Amino acid sequence: MTEITKGQYEFAEQRIEELLPLVNDDTPLDDPKCVELTLMSDIVEEYEKIHYPIGKPTPAELIASGLSEKRMTQKELAKELGVSPSRVNDFVKGKSEPNLSLAGRICRILGILPAAMLAY
């Protein structure tokens, strides 16, 4: 596939905005508007993958996000893990990373996919 130009990207973005109100979950996949929306979305995705890459979250970011989503404090997590609150704070601040066993327990408690924690 040839590289998508900024002009093509901007056109695709604009076209998506026009098509979104016309397509819903009941629209058949072979409907011309649905097909065009898929193609325009693919163009935007490909361009953004190259020009606006999103990095994988760090273990610290995953833990901080998990705490926020569970509405749990670092102190509460520390108590469940049987470690000091300062240790959990080090994980959240990225000063250190949990060992594999502890990382697995953190994933279970916070509902983090283990693959996400290991992918970094």
Side-chain angles (χ1 to χ4, degrees):
M1 182 176 196
T2 61
E3 188 170 329
I4 297 160
T5 67
K6 185 171 182 165
Q8 291 168 326
Y9 167 74
E10 290 170 348
F11 174 84
E13 275 190 318
Q14 179 182 347
R15 192 66 186 126
I16 287 170
E17 292 299 318
E18 295 166 357
L19 290 166
L20 278 174
L22 307 174
V23 176
N24 60 42
D25 291 339
D26 297 325
T27 306
L29 294 176
D30 61 350
D31 180 275
K33 291 179 199 87
C34 190
V35 171
E36 184 181 2
L37 180 60
T38 300
L39 292 170
M40 293 297 116
S41 297
D42 289 347
I43 289 169
V44 168
E45 181 181 356
E46 187 64 31
Y47 185 88
E48 289 180 350
K49 218 184 280 184
I50 294 166
H51 297 281
Y52 307 112
I54 298 173
K56 293 182 174 116
T58 65
E61 292 167 334
L62 288 169
I63 295 168
S65 176
L67 285 169
S68 176
E69 286 178 22
K70 292 284 184 177
R71 296 177 188 221
M72 184 180 236
T73 66
Q74 291 180 25
K75 188 175 181 178
E76 291 168 332
L77 179 59
K79 185 176 180 180
E80 282 202 45
L81 293 171
V83 300
S84 71
S86 65
R87 185 91 171 111
V88 171
N89 186 262
D90 286 347
F91 298 153
V92 171
K93 297 291 183 190
K95 293 179 181 177
S96 68
E97 291 184 6
N99 64 33
L100 194 54
S101 172
L102 202 52
R105 291 173 49 213
I106 291 169
C107 287
R108 280 191 296 282
I109 293 167
L110 298 181
I112 299 168
L113 292 173
M117 185 76 79
L118 295 172
Y120 184 73

